Amino acid sequence: MSRMMRLLAGLARTALTFAVLVLLGIVAFYVTVFVVSTGAGLAGYDPSGDFVVLSASLLVVAALLGGIPLSAAASEANDGGDSRPRAGFE
């Protein structure tokens, strides 16, 4: 029975982690929308909501993709002599 409890505990932990990460992503997106709209207002622009959401989503995607070490993964794969391909997330 302990194996079943460990499995359920792991599943609950994964679901809780997923929910927290989604919540943090939504909060970060709202903060980015606020920053973009406030910055546009300070610059003297009055963009529509469509452009504010588009620019905020592009900024969030760029921030997420900026955290992937693509160049480091390519140099490690060539230098290590290991035949396994690397994804850059190890």
Side-chain angles (χ1 to χ4, degrees):
M1 190 62 146
S2 74
R3 182 175 178 179
M4 182 63 97
M5 291 301 289
R6 282 188 286 151
L7 181 67
L8 289 175
L11 182 63
R13 186 179 309 128
T14 302
L16 181 66
T17 302
F18 177 75
V20 168
L21 288 176
V22 166
L23 182 67
L24 286 174
I26 291 170
V27 168
F29 181 72
Y30 278 124
V31 168
T32 308
V33 166
F34 172 74
V35 167
V36 168
S37 64
T38 304
L42 290 174
Y45 296 112
D46 188 25
S48 68
D50 297 339
F51 289 112
V52 171
V53 170
L54 176 65
S55 60
S57 63
L58 289 175
L59 286 171
V60 169
V61 167
L64 289 174
L65 291 178
I68 299 175
L70 295 177
S71 62
S75 65
E76 286 179 11
N78 293 335
D79 294 339
D82 193 6
S83 63
R84 296 182 311 145
R86 296 181 186 244
F89 298 106
E90 284 98 24

